Every structure is written in C-alpha cells, then in structure tokens.
C-alpha cells in the first residue's frame, strides 16, 4: 500500500507533538506502523526508545505483527502494549508491584461486599447494585475526581463517597490495586519521584498513542508527563468515534492536547478506503450535528463513483418527525428525491443509482426479523464470502434476531456474551403466572408467584406435586384472613387462564398489583430495570396465540444465545473459513464493533428511545449516542440497512432522529 499525501505527511513528521485526526477506514494502523518504521530507518531512532500504546491486546498484537512484517521479521525491540500493560510494567520496576497485586474481578466484588457489610441497615442492599457500584468506582478513578453527577447505583451521594473511600482503604491496607488504579498510580509516581520520571522519559523518547479519543484524564496525564521535555508525542484518533464515556473517556482530551502542546502539528486523514460513497456521506451528515468536535470532511476513496443516496422502505411517519421537532433545524442537505416501490416487507423508497444505505419500518419485531432473514439470505446467496454483521445498541437488543437466525438455520456468532432477558427475575415471575394459570399447576410454578406480590404464604404449607386451592385453603383453615387471600388468588388465576397472553400479563401487573409491589420492593436503577423487564415480556408475548407457541419461542431464544456464544468462545468466527462456506452472521454491539468492518451491516432498532437511548436524549450524552451510531454505520463497506419498529396505534414507535440527520426528509 502506498501512502497518500496526508498519510505521508504524518509518517514523515520530524519530531515534536502531532495530532493525527484519522477518520473511519483512513488507514490509521498503516500510518502508525509506517511512522515507527520511518523513525528507525530515516530518523535513526533507537527502537528500544519507541513506545506504541493501544487500547486492546488484539490491537497491540496486530500492530506489532504488521510492524515486524514491514521490517522483514528482523528483531526490533519496539515496545507495543496496552495502557494497562505498559503502566503495570512501570509500576513493577519502579515500585515492586507484581501481577498478583492487581485485583481479579471476583476479588473486587469481595472487597466491595466487605465494605457494604459494614453499612447494613443504611439502605436495602441488593445484589443487582454491585455492578453499578463497581462501574461508578471505576468511572471516578478514570476521571481522576468526583464528578458533579453520579450514575444511578442505588445509593445517595454521601453513601457512595463512604463506599468509595472504604473500598480504597481496603486496597491500601492489602497493598493491592485494581485495573482502574494503575494510571492514577503512575501519575502519582511521576509527580512525586523526579528520578523515576527522568528514568522513564529517557527510556521512552518517542511515544505513539492509538485510539487517542478513548483516553481518560488519568491516562492522558500519565502520558503527558512521560513525554517530558522532548514532547515527542504522536497521537492518532477520531473524536467522532469517542464512545466510552461510561469509562471516563472524554473526546475533550483531544482538545486539551492542543492546549498543552500548542506547537503540535494537526494532520487530517480524510480519505475513507472502507466504505462506499453513500455510506460515508450519510454518516458524515449525521455526525456533523454534534457541536463538540473537530470539524473535518471525510470523503470516500471512490469519490468519483456513484451518487449518494439514502433509500428507505417502509413509511417514516410524521409522528417520528414530531418526536424530533428540531429536525427542521438540522443542517440542510441536498434533496433526496425518493421514489416509492412495492417490495417484500412493505414500501421501499429508493434513490437513483446508489443503493448503499437503506432504512425501513416494520409493524413488529417478527416482521422486522423476517425481512432481515430474507436480506441476509439474499446476500449469502449472491456472495458467500461477504462478511455480514447486525449491530445493536446493547446485547439484550440482539437476542430476538439470534432466535430468528437459529430458527432459519442461518449460522451466526455472538461476539459478546448476552444475557437472556427472559431470565430476569421479573420475567420469571410473569412467565410463572402464565404457566400456572394455563398449563402447569406444579408446586415449583406456584412457589415462584405465591408471594409476588406479598401474600404471606409459607413454603412448608404448600403440598408437593400439583397445587390445588381447595387443599391450600384446608392447610390454612386456622387462619381466616389467609382463606380470603387464597380465594382472591384463585379468582385471579382463573381470570388469567381465560385471557390471551398480553392481557394476562397486563392483568398480573395492574389487576393483581405486581407493578405496585415492585415499586415498594425496589428503587432507583433496580426498579427501572424491573419495569423494563416487565415491559419487554409483555410486548414479547403479544405475538403468540398460546403457551405452546410462547414456550417454543423461549426454547429457541435460549438455544440461540447459548449456541451463538459457544461458537464465538470456541473461536469459530469468520476467520479461516473455506471459500465455499457461508460466513456466519456476527451479532455485536455498537461498542463492540469499534475497529471492525463488514461488507454488509444491519442496524436494527433505529427507534427513538433506543438510539438515542431515552436516558441520553440531550447534552453530552446525546452527542455520544450519535457517535455510537456513527461508529455502527461506518463499519459497513458495501451495504448498510437501517430498520425500526413502527409499532401499533396503542404503542407506536418513531424513527430515530438520527435517520433524519442522515439526510431523510418527509
């Protein structure tokens, strides 16, 4: 590969700080590798003085392999590693830390539980809060300070401060660190020990940082100090692809770099070698709606190719436009003369020659899945070697398509482990009500529901085998008030048994008072998740006429998740497949898709409330949601499909504002 003009300028930059703004598919890895080669062969830098920092082990390994190949496989002691690996190496040598000094995930939870055990009685601690608390602790450490706002992790600001300080105290007493402490520990080392700082500055005279937009404040400060007086800091990134705010990353670090290094050269890698022109331009219009960014113009390598188009099938109704009333103020783009065409799954709206970007609506998930399965089948039949991915906002959003792929016998892998949403305690409760009322009067089903909501029934009084209300009343003959409770429960179960599945779930939630009970038992994030689980199940059962169909769906759902995850765990990805084989469809989140590319990409769930998420519909959170969508879009090389569920009159869905920002006009 020959370097283009922009890449050549970056590669041959002499010395001093440099900010390389590298858009999607612009060859940033190539540029970084060639930069290292240039430093050694032309600038005569000692290879042992060069440090290349990446964010993942895979990226570090790939970059090292590409570099060694370019150097003819001759030994070359350039240091390639992740932030964690490099910083831990420094702490090992300078402060005597060992690999065993770093807490494992299981140990982190044990330390947290120790702290919480000393705060019993202050709040109703729930197991589900552990993940939120640990995430918030890591966020604080990466940010380097206590933020103004806190993630909702079920405790007050004052309680969290005590939990955080207690957690850190336990680590100090044990002489341990967790991964999020490492960067802060290196910063402390460099600020307090000038001799050690000078030692490492002498060791690493040339520093190159990949994916610089994902650096958190603690990591940036450590690298800034390490650069020292030489200031040979070469950073490569794209603020439009900064999507790890939940870990403390902030694209504003890139702007801080230009303030700390005002003499830094700024070079833009603006040519996208990955995607068709239509994809590049639609994605570009989207991300231009963000205010906090470096202005840049990314263009496709085939800039002389087809016209840009956004073609749509299904009707993007005016209601969707009402949700995004401000869309009228979005930057005006060239009018897209859409033409209606009848096609499978609904109305297609397409534009002229370029069919690289398509979007469409469906009445429900079942129809959306059916159309995606058809399109995937067509793609695989046309070209077996094409790589295909379905990219989702979250893991849980992917499982419905996994089930559909399993049923259609289409091979797939899940790059990230997804939890089965039907395994949520709330879903288990509601399913147990349906099963007990309609098909299964076993003791196990009854135990699941008997005190949800609270009825004060005792397990020891529930007979083995099939549960009979007459026998239950007899078991409670000494308690008249329990007779009334059981009679009311019996009536409720009879009513549920006569209802369709959707109405039955609704009756449990509203008629029996399950939702009110949840509000009494849970709070904060846990309550929100519980309500979301109930909504998910209620909408899911709407599509099934009876319990037999629902149970078949649940079985396929679970099997799809298990088998898809096993395939990925076993390394059965797209690599190494024979040319005659169909490549498995990859299911992945927007976060997980970073750095990957596919011939054909599907982005299902393009609805308001999903993208952007309903909790992130304004401010910095909205801008990060837009960047995530941008990352998802720019994984596509040839084709990009954007789909959404328009719902029903009772429960309508609206097209994401991001579709309008891509260029769609009613």
């Amino acid at each position: 590969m020959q370097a283009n003009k922009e890449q050549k300028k970056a590669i041959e930059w002499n010395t001093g700080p440099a900010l390389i703004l590298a858009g999607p598919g612009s060859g940033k890895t190539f540029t970084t590798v060639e930069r290292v080669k240039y430093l050694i062969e032309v600038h005569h830098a000692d290879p042992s003085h060069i440090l290349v920092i990446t964010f993942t082990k895979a990226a570090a390994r790939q970059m090292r392999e590409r570099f060694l190949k370019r150097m003819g496989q001759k030994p070359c002691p350039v240091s390639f590693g992740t932030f964690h690996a490099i910083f831990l190496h420094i702490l090992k040598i300078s402060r005597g830390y060992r690999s065993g000094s770093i807490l494992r995930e299981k140990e982190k939870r044990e330390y947290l539980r120790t702290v919480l055990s000393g705060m019993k009685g202050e709040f109703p601690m729930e197991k589900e809060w552990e993940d939120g608390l640990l995430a918030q602790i890591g966020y604080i450490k990466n940010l380097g300070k206590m933020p103004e706002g806190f993630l909702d992790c079920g405790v007050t600001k004052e309680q969290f401060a005590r939990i955080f300080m207690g957690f850190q105290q336990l680590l100090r007493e044990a002489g341990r660190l967790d991964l999020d402490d490492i960067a802060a520990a290196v910063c402390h080392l460099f600020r307090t020990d000038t001799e050690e700082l000078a030692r490492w500055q002498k060791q690493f005279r040339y520093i190159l940082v990949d994916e610089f937009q994902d650096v958190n404040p603690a990591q940036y400060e450590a690298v800034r100090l390490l650069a020292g007086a030489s200031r040979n800091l070469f950073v490569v990134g794209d603020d439009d692809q900064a999507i790890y705010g939940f870990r403390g990353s902030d694209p504003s670090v890139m702007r801080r770099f230009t303030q700390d290094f005002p003499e830094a050269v700024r070079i833009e890698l603006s040519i996208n070698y990955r995607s068709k022109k239509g994809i590049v331009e639609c994605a570009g219009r989207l991300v231009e709606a963000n205010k906090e960014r470096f202005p840049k113009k990314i263009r496709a390598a085939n800039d002389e190719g087809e016209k840009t188009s956004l073609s749509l099938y299904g009707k993007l109704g005016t209601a969707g436009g009402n949700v995004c009333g401000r869309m009228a103020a979005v930057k005006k783009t060239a009018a897209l003369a859409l033409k209606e065409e009848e096609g499978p799954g609904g109305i297609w709206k397409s534009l002229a020659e370029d069919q690289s970007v398509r979007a469409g609506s469906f009445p429900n998930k079942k129809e959306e899945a059916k159309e995606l399965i058809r399109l995937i089948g067509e793609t695989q039949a046309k070209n077996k070697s094409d790589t295909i991915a379905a990219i989702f906002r979250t893991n849980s959003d992917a499982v419905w398509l996994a089930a559909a792929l399993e049923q259609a016998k289409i091979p797939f892998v899940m790059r990230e482990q997804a939890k089965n949403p039907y395994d949520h305690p709330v879903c288990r409760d509601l399913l147990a009500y349906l099963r007990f009322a309609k098909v299964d009067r076993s003791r196990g089903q009854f135990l699941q529901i008997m005190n949800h909501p609270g009825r004060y029934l005792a397990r020891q009084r529930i007979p083995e085998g099939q549960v009979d209300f007459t026998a239950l009343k007899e078991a409670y003959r000494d308690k008249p008030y329990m007779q009334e409770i059981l009679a009311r429960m019996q009536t409720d179960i009879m009513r549920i048994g006569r209802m369709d599945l959707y109405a039955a779930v609704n009756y449990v939630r509203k008629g029996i008072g399950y939702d009110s009970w949840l509000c009494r038992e849970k709070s904060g994030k846990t309550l929100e998740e519980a309500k979301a689980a109930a909504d998910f199940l209620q909408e899911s059962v709407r599509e099934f006429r009876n319990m037999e169909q629902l149970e078949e769906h649940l079985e396929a759902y679970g099997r799809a998740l298990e088998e898809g995850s096993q395939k990925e765990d076993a390394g059965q990805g797209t690599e190494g497949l024979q040319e005659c084989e169909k490549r498995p469809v990859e299911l992945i989140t927007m976060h997980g898709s970073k750095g990957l590319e596919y011939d054909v990409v599907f982005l299902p769930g393009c609805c308001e409330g999903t993208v952007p998420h309903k909790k992130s519909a304004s401010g910095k959170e909205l801008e990060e949601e837009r960047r995530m969508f941008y990352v998802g879009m720019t994984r596509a090389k040839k084709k990009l499909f954007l789909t959404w569920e328009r719902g029903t009159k009772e429960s309508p869905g609206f097209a994401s504002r991001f579709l309008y920002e891509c260029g769609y006009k009613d």
Side-chain angles (χ1 to χ4, degrees), residues 313 341-348 371 374:
Y313 57 93
E341 297 177 9
E342 294 291 334
I347 299 174
W348 292 61
E371 183 66 5
R374 186 188 70 82

Side-chain angles (χ1 to χ4, degrees), residues 456-493:
Y456 312 104
L457 294 168
R459 293 176 67 93
Q460 59 269 26
R461 296 206 185 200
I462 311 303
E464 296 293 335
Q466 297 294 101
V467 175
D468 179 76
F469 278 98
T470 301
L472 276 177
K473 291 175 185 176
E474 179 63 22
Y476 279 96
R477 63 182 181 274
D478 57 328
K479 298 181 182 292
Y481 72 93
M482 293 302 296
Q483 297 278 332
E484 295 179 12
I485 290 174
L486 287 167
R488 188 159 56 251
M489 186 179 185
Q490 184 178 14
T491 301
D492 289 334
I493 293 299

Side-chain angles (χ1 to χ4, degrees), residues 206-265:
Y206 304 91
I207 305 169
L208 298 89
V209 182
D210 186 30
E211 302 288 3
F212 187 65
Q213 76 280 347
D214 296 327
V215 171
N216 63 51
Q219 291 168 333
Y220 172 72
E221 182 63 12
V223 169
R224 186 187 68 81
L225 291 169
L226 186 59
S230 70
R231 302 171 76 83
N232 289 326
L233 185 56
F234 185 93
V235 300
V236 184
D238 180 11
D239 55 332
D240 290 333
Q241 298 185 73
I243 60 174
Y244 297 113
F246 64 92
R247 297 193 313 212
S249 301
D250 190 337
S252 65
V253 169
M254 297 184 71
R255 293 187 291 278
R256 182 182 164 187
F257 176 87
T258 63
Q259 297 168 1
D260 292 339
F261 300 89
E263 76 277 26
V265 65

Side-chain angles (χ1 to χ4, degrees), residues 430-446:
L430 298 176
L431 286 170
Y433 267 106
L434 296 179
R435 288 167 176 148
F436 187 81
K438 294 179 178 294
V439 295
D440 183 5
R441 294 296 179 96
S442 66
R443 186 174 188 267
Q445 299 294 345
F446 187 80

Side-chain angles (χ1 to χ4, degrees), residues 444-593:
Q445 299 294 345
F446 187 80
L447 292 176
Q448 182 74 36
I449 65 174
M450 66 180 188
N451 289 320
H452 295 175
R455 299 186 178 92
Y456 312 104
L457 294 168
R459 293 176 67 93
Q460 59 269 26
R461 296 206 185 200
I462 311 303
E464 296 293 335
Q466 297 294 101
V467 175
D468 179 76
F469 278 98
T470 301
L472 276 177
K473 291 175 185 176
E474 179 63 22
Y476 279 96
R477 63 182 181 274
D478 57 328
K479 298 181 182 292
Y481 72 93
M482 293 302 296
Q483 297 278 332
E484 295 179 12
I485 290 174
L486 287 167
R488 188 159 56 251
M489 186 179 185
Q490 184 178 14
T491 301
D492 289 334
I493 293 299
M494 291 175 61
R495 288 177 177 173
I496 293 169
R498 294 193 295 266
M499 296 176 177
D500 65 59
L501 299 178
Y502 181 88
V505 173
N506 190 63
Y507 183 80
V508 174
R509 297 180 68 183
K510 310 299 183 186
I512 293 179
Y514 186 87
D515 279 10
S516 299
W517 173 75
L518 283 177
C519 291
R520 294 192 299 272
E521 293 294 314
K522 302 181 182 297
S523 62
K525 184 178 180 180
T526 306
L527 177 59
E528 290 181 10
E529 291 175 350
K531 289 181 175 179
D535 291 341
F536 166 78
L537 182 75
Q538 188 167 353
E539 286 302 313
S540 296
V541 303
R542 187 194 292 272
E543 300 181 24
F544 306 103
R545 293 192 299 273
N546 52 51
M547 284 301 299
E548 183 180 5
Q549 289 184 355
L550 175 58
E551 295 290 5
E552 288 178 357
H553 166 73
L554 294 174
E555 183 180 354
Y557 212 95
R559 185 171 62 248
L561 288 183
E562 183 179 356
E563 293 183 0
S565 298
Q566 287 176 349
K567 291 171 187 173
E568 182 58 25
D569 292 340
Q572 302 175 21
T574 60
E575 296 84 3
L577 290 175
Q578 297 179 8
E579 286 299 318
C580 61
E581 294 178 330
K582 294 179 180 178
R583 293 175 177 267
V585 179
E586 295 194 20
L587 307 186
I588 193 169
T589 65
M590 293 177 184
H591 283 113
S593 72

